[in-house]
């Protein structure tokens, strides 16, 4: 049996193990909520994690266009980018997939001799981490840009309220 077939047969347990590993990085009260609240509207974070996990797994096992794969990665990384996580912790969820696979397939890896295929898959997972880091940085840049624009707006409003900035000063003057 090839690795692809094994991964397909154990898909649900690997995805659940990966989800649990991701969630276990959060505080205990958050873990309970993320694991137990199944409604997508009451728990959109867990929903996005699960949808991202399913898509990423599908891409690794059966292949997928880069844009679609990026969409699935972004479902998770967009949440982690706004949380108070370092870049390495935000992206670390990708590497947890390796452990989830190895946990579900320990005998198959050694007995069936699929270690070469597994090394290739793990190399693809490493590549996903690099892509995730790029996505994380784009999300963080956008977040900083939004914060800077909000600060400019607040300062401009305060200056206007204080009478230090007139309406004429904020509009560009055309010379022509």
């Amino acid at each position: 049996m090839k690795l692809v077939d094994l991964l397909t047969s154990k898909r649900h347990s690997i995805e659940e193990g990966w989800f649990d590993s991701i969630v276990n990085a959060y505080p205990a009260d958050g873990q309970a909520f993320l694991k137990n609240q199944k409604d997508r509207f009451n728990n959109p974070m867990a929903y996005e994690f699960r949808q991202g996990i399913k898509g990423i797994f599908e891409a690794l096992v059966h292949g997928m266009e880069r844009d679609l794969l990026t969409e699935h990665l972004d479902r998770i990384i967009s949440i982690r980018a706004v949380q108070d996580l370092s870049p390495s912790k935000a992206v670390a969820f990708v590497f947890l997939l390796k452990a989830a696979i190895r946990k579900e397939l320990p005998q198959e890896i050694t007995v069936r001799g699929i270690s070469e295929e597994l090394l290739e898959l793990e190399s693809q997972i490493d590549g996903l981490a690099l892509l995730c880091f790029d996505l994380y940085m784009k999300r963080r840049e956008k977040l900083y840009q939004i914060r800077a624009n909000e600060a400019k707006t607040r300062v401009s409003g305060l200056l206007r309220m204080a009478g230090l900035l007139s309406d004429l000063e904020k509009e560009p003057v055309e010379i022509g």
Side-chain angles (χ1 to χ4, degrees):
M1 187 177 262
K2 293 187 145 216
L3 179 60
V4 171
D5 299 326
L6 290 169
L7 292 171
T8 302
S9 69
K10 302 265 188 165
R11 179 182 186 139
H12 180 72
S13 56
I14 292 170
E15 287 176 355
E16 281 303 308
W18 189 19
F19 176 80
D20 288 343
S21 296
I22 293 170
V23 169
N24 288 339
Y26 290 92
D29 56 338
Q31 289 177 28
F33 179 77
L34 289 169
K35 288 180 182 179
N36 298 327
Q37 179 55 260
K38 301 290 184 194
D39 182 62
R40 79 179 271 193
F41 297 107
N42 288 330
N43 192 356
M45 191 166 113
Y47 175 79
E48 290 299 320
F49 281 178
R50 286 185 187 282
Q51 294 304 307
I53 285 169
K54 286 178 184 177
I56 295 164
F57 191 86
E58 178 70 23
L60 283 171
V61 175
H62 300 293
M64 185 179 289
E65 289 182 29
R66 184 177 172 97
D67 290 344
L68 193 53
L69 172 61
T70 300
E71 250 181 65
H72 292 297
L73 287 167
D74 197 45
R75 292 183 93 135
I76 298 173
I77 206 67
S78 63
I79 293 168
R80 296 176 72 83
V82 297
Q83 296 172 336
D84 192 23
L85 299 172
S86 66
S88 60
K89 286 186 180 178
V91 174
F93 78 91
V94 174
F95 298 110
L96 297 173
L97 176 56
K98 291 180 185 182
I101 291 170
R102 287 185 175 272
K103 183 179 178 186
E104 288 299 319
L105 304 173
Q107 292 177 335
E108 291 87 346
I109 291 169
T110 56
V111 174
R112 296 210 172 117
I114 58 169
S115 56
E116 287 239 358
E117 288 178 87
L118 184 62
L119 286 175
E120 185 178 320
L121 179 69
E122 288 180 341
S123 178
Q124 290 176 341
I125 292 170
D126 293 341
L128 289 180
L130 296 173
L131 181 56
C132 261
F133 185 75
D134 290 343
L135 292 170
Y136 173 84
M137 292 310 296
K138 285 180 186 176
R139 288 288 181 170
R140 294 299 288 198
E141 286 172 12
K142 187 171 185 165
L143 183 63
Y144 290 134
Q145 184 180 30
I146 289 168
R147 287 179 180 165
N149 288 341
E150 286 176 357
K152 287 178 189 176
T153 301
R154 273 189 253 126
V155 168
S156 175
L158 289 172
L159 289 173
R160 260 187 258 107
M161 284 175 44
L164 299 174
L165 182 67
S166 70
D167 288 336
L168 293 176
E169 287 178 278
K170 69 178 185 177
E171 295 183 24
V173 178
E174 289 186 35
I175 302 175

